[in-house]
Amino acid sequence: QKEVEQDPGPLSVPEGAIVSLNCTYSNSAFQYFMWYRQYSRKGPELLMYTYSSGNKEDGRFTAQVDKSSKYISLFIRDSQPSDSATYLCAMSSGTSGTYKYIFGTGTRLKVLA
Amino acid sequence: EPEVTQTPSHQVTQMGQEVILRCVPISNHLYFYWYRQILGQKVEFLVSFYNNEISEKSEIFDDQFSVERPDGSNFTLKIRSTKLEDSAMYFCASMRDSYGYTFGSGTRLTVV
């Protein structure tokens, strides 16, 4: 079983739709959960950071972490064509002080105008 | 907003040559990283650097790779003898505390 699994998509939605992106993981030691957005041939850009379980909201973005199910989600409300990108989940146990991230493969999202 | 700066943006090198990829992390950050992304694949951890030493490295980071923070502002990744399979995007990242990395825009390394 892969440490972090993410559906690669592509996912196509109409403008204004609610988008749900998900990752599952196997390592129960993960405590830090991140969502990054990556445009083609660019560096990942941090969207959301969550420590442990719970929800976090920032504008149109909501991140959810369910540690009991080893499942994390990112919701995008009122999606825009500019949201078209690859969305990467990343996780870390934070042990040994390195905060090494394990990334999912990324989900390609296309928002159609 | 502070940025992580990477140079060059694209480097083409012959197999067997040495390359140095350069990064200027955000100035008050304490943790530094190199990751790579082979085209179409996921972002993979190479090495982390904290308190002027390597804190963790992956299996990919073998004896051909080294990192340095020579002057308190730059952070470099050296590949001693490049192979075709080293062709990838290399990303530098830095972080002040546990609240998520800031990545640079990457160096695309092409080994021919």
Side-chain angles (χ1 to χ4, degrees), chain A residues 85-104:
Chain A
T86 297
Y87 289 79
L88 310 173
C89 63
M91 307 179 189
S92 175
S93 62
T95 54
S96 73
T98 70
Y99 300 99
K100 175 181 77 175
Y101 286 5
I102 306 299
F103 281 85

mmCIF file of all heavy atoms in Angstrom, chain A residues 85-104:
data_model
loop_
_atom_site.group_PDB
_atom_site.id
_atom_site.type_symbol
_atom_site.label_atom_id
_atom_site.label_comp_id
_atom_site.label_asym_id
_atom_site.label_seq_id
_atom_site.Cartn_x
_atom_site.Cartn_y
_atom_site.Cartn_z
ATOM 1 N N ALA A 85 -5.367 23.745 -12.156
ATOM 2 C CA ALA A 85 -3.989 23.468 -11.730
ATOM 3 C C ALA A 85 -3.948 22.025 -11.235
ATOM 4 O O ALA A 85 -4.955 21.325 -11.239
ATOM 5 C CB ALA A 85 -3.564 24.418 -10.614
ATOM 6 N N THR A 86 -2.776 21.608 -10.793
ATOM 7 C CA THR A 86 -2.644 20.320 -10.110
ATOM 8 C C THR A 86 -2.599 20.575 -8.611
ATOM 9 O O THR A 86 -1.860 21.462 -8.153
ATOM 10 C CB THR A 86 -1.388 19.577 -10.579
ATOM 11 O OG1 THR A 86 -1.505 19.278 -11.972
ATOM 12 C CG2 THR A 86 -1.216 18.266 -9.812
ATOM 13 N N TYR A 87 -3.395 19.820 -7.863
ATOM 14 C CA TYR A 87 -3.468 19.992 -6.409
ATOM 15 C C TYR A 87 -2.772 18.803 -5.749
ATOM 16 O O TYR A 87 -3.102 17.641 -6.020
ATOM 17 C CB TYR A 87 -4.923 20.116 -5.968
ATOM 18 C CG TYR A 87 -5.496 21.449 -6.397
ATOM 19 C CD1 TYR A 87 -5.906 21.646 -7.708
ATOM 20 C CD2 TYR A 87 -5.544 22.526 -5.513
ATOM 21 C CE1 TYR A 87 -6.374 22.881 -8.129
ATOM 22 C CE2 TYR A 87 -6.016 23.761 -5.922
ATOM 23 C CZ TYR A 87 -6.421 23.937 -7.236
ATOM 24 O OH TYR A 87 -6.873 25.165 -7.648
ATOM 25 N N LEU A 88 -1.814 19.121 -4.911
ATOM 26 C CA LEU A 88 -0.992 18.116 -4.252
ATOM 27 C C LEU A 88 -1.313 18.089 -2.772
ATOM 28 O O LEU A 88 -1.313 19.135 -2.123
ATOM 29 C CB LEU A 88 0.498 18.452 -4.398
ATOM 30 C CG LEU A 88 1.032 18.780 -5.785
ATOM 31 C CD1 LEU A 88 2.482 19.251 -5.683
ATOM 32 C CD2 LEU A 88 0.957 17.561 -6.675
ATOM 33 N N CYS A 89 -1.553 16.896 -2.232
ATOM 34 C CA CYS A 89 -1.589 16.791 -0.787
ATOM 35 C C CYS A 89 -0.187 16.394 -0.313
ATOM 36 O O CYS A 89 0.575 15.753 -1.048
ATOM 37 C CB CYS A 89 -2.622 15.779 -0.315
ATOM 38 S SG CYS A 89 -2.344 14.079 -0.832
ATOM 39 N N ALA A 90 0.142 16.806 0.889
ATOM 40 C CA ALA A 90 1.447 16.476 1.466
ATOM 41 C C ALA A 90 1.260 16.252 2.960
ATOM 42 O O ALA A 90 0.406 16.887 3.583
ATOM 43 C CB ALA A 90 2.461 17.596 1.216
ATOM 44 N N MET A 91 2.065 15.354 3.515
ATOM 45 C CA MET A 91 1.909 14.999 4.915
ATOM 46 C C MET A 91 3.263 14.817 5.560
ATOM 47 O O MET A 91 4.237 14.461 4.886
ATOM 48 C CB MET A 91 1.142 13.686 5.025
ATOM 49 C CG MET A 91 -0.156 13.731 4.264
ATOM 50 S SD MET A 91 -1.070 12.219 4.338
ATOM 51 C CE MET A 91 -2.330 12.618 3.126
ATOM 52 N N SER A 92 3.275 15.020 6.876
ATOM 53 C CA SER A 92 4.528 14.877 7.610
ATOM 54 C C SER A 92 4.228 14.407 9.019
ATOM 55 O O SER A 92 3.226 14.806 9.614
ATOM 56 C CB SER A 92 5.261 16.221 7.635
ATOM 57 O OG SER A 92 6.409 16.148 8.438
ATOM 58 N N SER A 93 5.115 13.584 9.537
ATOM 59 C CA SER A 93 4.983 13.194 10.941
ATOM 60 C C SER A 93 5.650 14.226 11.845
ATOM 61 O O SER A 93 5.348 14.310 13.030
ATOM 62 C CB SER A 93 5.621 11.819 11.166
ATOM 63 O OG SER A 93 7.003 11.891 10.871
ATOM 64 N N GLY A 94 6.573 14.998 11.290
ATOM 65 C CA GLY A 94 7.249 16.010 12.086
ATOM 66 C C GLY A 94 8.268 15.448 13.042
ATOM 67 O O GLY A 94 8.859 16.188 13.820
ATOM 68 N N THR A 95 8.498 14.155 12.973
ATOM 69 C CA THR A 95 9.467 13.562 13.903
ATOM 70 C C THR A 95 10.879 13.849 13.432
ATOM 71 O O THR A 95 11.109 14.194 12.268
ATOM 72 C CB THR A 95 9.283 12.042 14.021
ATOM 73 O OG1 THR A 95 9.318 11.469 12.708
ATOM 74 C CG2 THR A 95 7.969 11.718 14.683
ATOM 75 N N SER A 96 11.793 13.692 14.283
ATOM 76 C CA SER A 96 13.219 13.925 14.055
ATOM 77 C C SER A 96 13.519 15.360 13.666
ATOM 78 O O SER A 96 14.630 15.681 13.285
ATOM 79 C CB SER A 96 13.800 12.968 13.004
ATOM 80 O OG SER A 96 13.377 13.319 11.711
ATOM 81 N N GLY A 97 12.516 16.222 13.754
ATOM 82 C CA GLY A 97 12.748 17.633 13.490
ATOM 83 C C GLY A 97 12.997 17.976 12.040
ATOM 84 O O GLY A 97 13.388 19.099 11.737
ATOM 85 N N THR A 98 12.771 17.038 11.130
ATOM 86 C CA THR A 98 13.039 17.359 9.735
ATOM 87 C C THR A 98 11.808 17.853 9.004
ATOM 88 O O THR A 98 11.924 18.571 8.026
ATOM 89 C CB THR A 98 13.578 16.140 8.959
ATOM 90 O OG1 THR A 98 12.539 15.186 8.804
ATOM 91 C CG2 THR A 98 14.751 15.510 9.665
ATOM 92 N N TYR A 99 10.623 17.444 9.456
ATOM 93 C CA TYR A 99 9.383 17.810 8.763
ATOM 94 C C TYR A 99 9.436 17.432 7.289
ATOM 95 O O TYR A 99 9.025 18.199 6.421
ATOM 96 C CB TYR A 99 9.085 19.301 8.924
ATOM 97 C CG TYR A 99 8.930 19.721 10.363
ATOM 98 C CD1 TYR A 99 9.977 20.324 11.038
ATOM 99 C CD2 TYR A 99 7.745 19.479 11.058
ATOM 100 C CE1 TYR A 99 9.843 20.683 12.375
ATOM 101 C CE2 TYR A 99 7.610 19.845 12.387
ATOM 102 C CZ TYR A 99 8.665 20.452 13.036
ATOM 103 O OH TYR A 99 8.536 20.817 14.350
ATOM 104 N N LYS A 100 9.958 16.250 7.012
ATOM 105 C CA LYS A 100 9.968 15.740 5.644
ATOM 106 C C LYS A 100 8.533 15.536 5.184
ATOM 107 O O LYS A 100 7.705 14.998 5.911
ATOM 108 C CB LYS A 100 10.711 14.398 5.610
ATOM 109 C CG LYS A 100 10.681 13.708 4.270
ATOM 110 C CD LYS A 100 11.416 12.382 4.327
ATOM 111 C CE LYS A 100 10.614 11.306 4.989
ATOM 112 N NZ LYS A 100 11.286 10.004 4.942
ATOM 113 N N TYR A 101 8.237 15.993 3.955
ATOM 114 C CA TYR A 101 6.892 15.837 3.421
ATOM 115 C C TYR A 101 6.838 14.637 2.492
ATOM 116 O O TYR A 101 7.755 14.424 1.687
ATOM 117 C CB TYR A 101 6.478 17.064 2.610
ATOM 118 C CG TYR A 101 6.139 18.295 3.422
ATOM 119 C CD1 TYR A 101 6.296 18.347 4.790
ATOM 120 C CD2 TYR A 101 5.661 19.431 2.784
ATOM 121 C CE1 TYR A 101 5.994 19.481 5.518
ATOM 122 C CE2 TYR A 101 5.350 20.579 3.501
ATOM 123 C CZ TYR A 101 5.519 20.600 4.868
ATOM 124 O OH TYR A 101 5.221 21.735 5.571
ATOM 125 N N ILE A 102 5.740 13.894 2.577
ATOM 126 C CA ILE A 102 5.418 12.866 1.602
ATOM 127 C C ILE A 102 4.243 13.406 0.784
ATOM 128 O O ILE A 102 3.198 13.776 1.354
ATOM 129 C CB ILE A 102 5.011 11.545 2.269
ATOM 130 C CG1 ILE A 102 6.083 11.076 3.260
ATOM 131 C CG2 ILE A 102 4.758 10.474 1.212
ATOM 132 C CD1 ILE A 102 7.439 10.809 2.643
ATOM 133 N N PHE A 103 4.430 13.456 -0.518
ATOM 134 C CA PHE A 103 3.424 14.032 -1.402
ATOM 135 C C PHE A 103 2.585 12.947 -2.052
ATOM 136 O O PHE A 103 3.061 11.841 -2.326
ATOM 137 C CB PHE A 103 4.096 14.843 -2.521
ATOM 138 C CG PHE A 103 4.544 16.205 -2.095
ATOM 139 C CD1 PHE A 103 5.780 16.393 -1.493
ATOM 140 C CD2 PHE A 103 3.730 17.311 -2.307
ATOM 141 C CE1 PHE A 103 6.193 17.661 -1.107
ATOM 142 C CE2 PHE A 103 4.136 18.581 -1.918
ATOM 143 C CZ PHE A 103 5.367 18.746 -1.311
ATOM 144 N N GLY A 104 1.331 13.290 -2.333
ATOM 145 C CA GLY A 104 0.523 12.493 -3.241
ATOM 146 C C GLY A 104 0.940 12.785 -4.669
ATOM 147 O O GLY A 104 1.749 13.685 -4.932
#
